[in-house]
Amino acid sequence: MQWAGPLSGKLVLEVGSDDGTYLNAFAEAGADVLGIDPHREPKLPLHPRATYLKQRVQDLNGDWTHFDLIHVGEVLEHVDDPDEILRCLTTRWPGATVLLSVPNFWARDHQRTYSWDTFNQQLSPYVERQDCATVSWEYQNPPGVFQWYMVKGR
C-alpha cells in the first residue's frame, strides 16, 4: 500500500472490490473505505472502517461528495464502457488521486486487453482535457503483469 501514500484519516473509494482484499487493506492502513462492486459481495469479513455497496460507481448517490483516493484495480477490462467510468471519476470527484491498473493479458471474462499503448491511449483524452494530470505510471512486461497509472483529478 506504500504506493498510495499515508492513508490515516483519508477517505478511499475502492471500485471493483471483488473479494474485499484491497478494501480491507486500505482500512487496515487507517483509511475509511467505501467499496463498490456491481457483481459480487466481498467474501472476506469487512474491517470496521470499511463499508460495501453492491452497485456501479456511476450510480453512487450524491451523499459521497469527496474521496482522497480512488482505486480502480482490474476493472476497465471487464466493463462495457470504460470511458463512462473514467468520465465519472475525473469529473465527479475533482482533486482525488485515481489509481488505475489493468492486466496486460487476456482472460476469459475480459472484454478487452490492454497494452501500454492502448491503456495510455484510453487515458490520454482525460489528461489532455486537463480533467486530470499524470502523477506516475509503470509498465511491466512480460504479459501477465499489471500496468499502473496514477492520475490526480483537477
Side-chain angles (χ1 to χ4, degrees), residues 31-53:
D32 292 313
V33 189
L34 172 63
I36 59 173
D37 193 313
H39 301 293
R40 60 189 69 139
E41 307 237 352
K43 294 175 187 164
L44 302 173
L46 290 183
H47 188 281
R49 299 180 72 100
T51 303
Y52 173 81
L53 298 172

Side-chain angles (χ1 to χ4, degrees), residues 117-135:
D117 291 336
T118 57
F119 192 35
N120 195 36
Q121 185 177 31
Q122 183 145 45
L123 291 173
S124 65
Y126 303 96
V127 175
E128 289 168 8
R129 278 199 327 261
Q130 297 185 354
D131 291 338
C132 58
T134 303
V135 175

Side-chain angles (χ1 to χ4, degrees), residues 69-110:
L69 176 69
I70 301 170
H71 177 246
V72 185
E74 294 75 70
V75 170
L76 298 180
E77 68 276 11
H78 295 281
V79 298
D80 292 331
D81 187 357
D83 284 319
E84 181 183 15
I85 290 176
L86 292 169
R87 276 190 305 276
C88 176
L89 297 176
T90 59
T91 59
R92 190 157 173 207
W93 296 290
T97 297
V98 181
L99 177 62
L100 300 154
S101 66
V102 294
N104 60 357
F105 61 90
W106 184 260
R108 189 169 26 110
D109 60 343
H110 292 179

Side-chain angles (χ1 to χ4, degrees), residues 59-72:
D59 301 328
L60 198 57
N61 72 33
D63 294 341
W64 300 95
T65 59
H66 169 80
F67 290 102
D68 298 296
L69 176 69
I70 301 170
H71 177 246
V72 185

